[in-house]
Amino acid sequence: MPLYPRHHIDIAIDDLGAALVSCARDLRSEAEAERLESFVAPDGEVLAMHSVRSGFDLLLTALALPPGSEVLLSALTIPDMPRIVRAHGLVAVPVDVDAATLSPTEAALEQAWSPQAKVLVVAQLFGGRASLDAARAFALRRGLLFVDDDAQGYTGPSCLAPRDADVVFHSFGTIKTATCLGGALVRVRDATLRADMRAEHARWPVHPTATYAKKLALYTTLLVPREPHAYTLFAACAERFGGGLDSVVMSMTKGFPSADLRGFLQSIRRRPCGPLLALLRRRIASFDPHRLQRRAEAGERLLRALAHDVEVLGGAQRARTHWLFAVLLAKPDAPIAILRRAGFDAARGATSIAAVPAPDERPQLVPAQALAAMERVLFVPVYPEISQADRDRLAASLVAVSRAPR
């Protein structure tokens, strides 16, 4: 049976072609950054970055917090976020989240706080928006810099408008909505902090255009496996020659090296090249809201079909577009083979999201709800390119595996 990929890379061949043509031209990073930033934010509050990781590292550099200061992180995020915190001599403190809303609970916020806390970062996950009211009020009450990490939640140009947060992150990485195979926008409300970030950013080298061109060329060829029959062949080759489908897909979608801290920091401390910035401006200007609407509707229909049988991680978020769809099962590894035979590339690792560990300095802060969710999570493909009949079949398969004897 044809296999639906776990990700539908959200870019068209004409966008990739335009970006490749840009790579052959002398597009200067500084000029393209100015054009992009003035296009999305005439108020001057937005910085164009190589990645959200780059923006977060730059933010902590500009803040220059005293060693040992604490950065509170909502407990489900990418592991590189606490890694960057620690690289600055700071302490990454998890704030546990509710599995239904993916929001930090008020009790968890109070438990995580200490006089050393300086920053609160809340990650919005899976293309949804949770209420940030409690977290925002807590940050204001405690005098914390409040960061809205919306790296997974791009929904079009309107979502780039100012928000009630000190800093906001938006990502256009490989598997994100309206991907540019890289790039990020960071809105910084405080003018002094923003100026300090710009000054430091100007000292970073520009990411080589040739390296970006190679990535564009690779993903041009990888548009073919988006089609289920081609992806079936791709999966078979990955299992036989590439060390397994999960390993191959994760290596292709992972943007930065993880083993060596020095190499990792060098890779993120780059300014985006001109062609990346030009593609990002193009993609924002030509954003298609209709596919996003169809994706959200597909996810909502599956959510309703599972309502009485299968728990959905983040299923009670205030607004949902279902960039990723995560279900919680008692034994999530067992159904993978069953769902793949049914034509759906279910996976435990469709994204690098993980629970933030308790720091050595405060070992009692184990994020129990976040850890429990990650032990049960399974990601399934839900996007408009999957037919409604097949999405209904996926729902029936998930209900069946949830009811199977344990």
Side-chain angles (χ1 to χ4, degrees):
M1 178 174 289
L3 183 65
Y4 283 107
R6 66 189 67 175
H7 298 299
H8 182 90
I9 304 300
D10 187 21
I11 194 167
I13 189 68
D14 59 337
D15 290 315
L16 289 168
L20 282 166
V21 170
S22 295
C23 289
R25 300 166 56 199
D26 186 23
L27 295 184
R28 308 296 298 175
S29 176
E30 296 85 353
E32 292 301 322
E34 184 176 346
R35 291 180 70 189
L36 172 61
E37 290 169 4
S38 61
F39 173 66
V40 300
D43 57 14
E45 289 191 351
V46 167
L47 289 74
M49 304 295 301
H50 183 49
S51 69
V52 165
R53 293 169 177 85
S54 306
F56 188 47
D57 177 70
L58 184 65
L59 172 65
L60 294 182
T61 299
L63 288 172
L65 299 172
S69 297
E70 294 178 351
V71 177
L72 310 186
L73 300 169
S74 55
L76 288 177
T77 188
I78 60 170
D80 284 340
M81 298 298 273
R83 187 184 192 193
I84 291 168
V85 171
R86 293 190 293 267
H88 284 265
L90 309 174
V91 180
V93 176
V95 182
D96 211 356
V97 295
D98 177 78
T101 65
L102 295 174
S103 292
T105 64
E106 293 190 44
L109 286 163
E110 292 294 346
Q111 184 182 22
W113 183 83
S114 83
Q116 286 71 47
K118 306 298 181 185
V119 180
L120 170 61
V121 184
V122 178
Q124 301 275 10
L125 299 178
F126 309 148
R129 290 289 298 174
S131 172
L132 297 181
D133 293 346
R136 188 183 298 111
F138 173 81
L140 182 63
R141 185 168 67 252
R142 294 296 191 180
L144 307 178
L145 185 83
F146 182 56
V147 179
D148 180 354
D149 180 1
D150 200 20
Q152 299 183 2
Y154 181 67
T155 56
S158 62
C159 83
L160 302 177
R163 298 184 184 178
D164 193 8
D166 297 301
V167 179
V168 184
F169 294 140
H170 302 280
S171 174
F172 299 84
T174 301
I175 62 173
K176 300 298 197 309
T177 301
T179 179
C180 297
L181 306 182
L185 296 172
V186 182
R187 179 175 285 277
V188 183
R189 187 164 55 186
D190 183 82
T192 301
L193 176 60
R194 188 169 64 249
D196 289 344
M197 291 175 68
R198 285 194 187 280
E200 175 64 23
H201 194 224
R203 290 190 276 269
W204 288 4
V206 176
H207 186 68
T209 295
T211 303
Y212 183 57
K214 291 177 182 177
K215 189 172 187 178
L216 290 167
L218 171 64
Y219 277 87
T220 300
T221 65
L222 290 176
L223 290 190
V224 175
R226 288 194 305 193
E227 195 279 324
H229 288 87
Y231 190 73
T232 305
L233 178 59
F234 172 81
C237 292
E239 293 294 342
R240 183 168 183 180
F241 305 113
L245 182 58
D246 288 337
S247 175
V248 171
V249 172
M250 290 302 289
S251 67
M252 289 167 51
T253 56
K254 189 172 181 63
F256 299 94
S258 59
D260 173 55
L261 178 60
R262 181 177 179 182
F264 167 70
L265 293 175
Q266 287 178 342
S267 71
I268 66 172
R269 289 173 179 170
R270 302 286 182 94
R271 286 180 286 153
C273 64
L276 170 56
L277 295 166
L279 178 59
L280 181 46
R281 183 164 52 85
R282 171 190 170 102
R283 300 233 60 197
I284 292 171
S286 62
F287 182 76
D288 177 15
H290 301 296
R291 183 183 184 277
L292 181 75
Q293 182 180 358
R294 289 187 293 121
R295 188 185 74 190
E297 290 171 352
E300 288 298 291
R301 178 158 176 163
L302 180 60
L303 184 66
R304 291 192 296 270
L306 301 178
H308 302 295
D309 297 278
V310 181
E311 184 179 358
V312 175
L313 185 60
Q317 288 174 302
R318 186 168 58 185
R320 300 175 294 271
T321 68
H322 302 290
W323 170 67
L324 290 178
F325 198 100
V327 298
L328 298 176
L329 300 172
K331 295 182 178 180
D333 291 301
I336 291 176
I338 297 171
L339 291 170
R340 287 183 181 172
R341 285 195 298 270
F344 307 101
D345 184 20
R348 299 296 313 281
T351 176
S352 58
I353 292 294
V356 179
D360 293 339
E361 296 84 350
R362 302 179 70 186
Q364 74 279 11
L365 293 180
V366 175
Q369 293 188 70
L371 286 168
M374 294 312 296
E375 288 176 357
R376 298 172 54 205
V377 73
L378 181 68
F379 294 94
V380 296
V382 182
Y383 42 81
E385 289 74 16
I386 300 176
S387 70
Q388 184 57 63
D390 282 340
R391 293 198 300 266
D392 290 342
R393 194 164 51 81
L394 171 62
S397 297
L398 286 170
V399 169
V401 299
S402 72
R403 293 176 176 175
R406 299 174 184 176

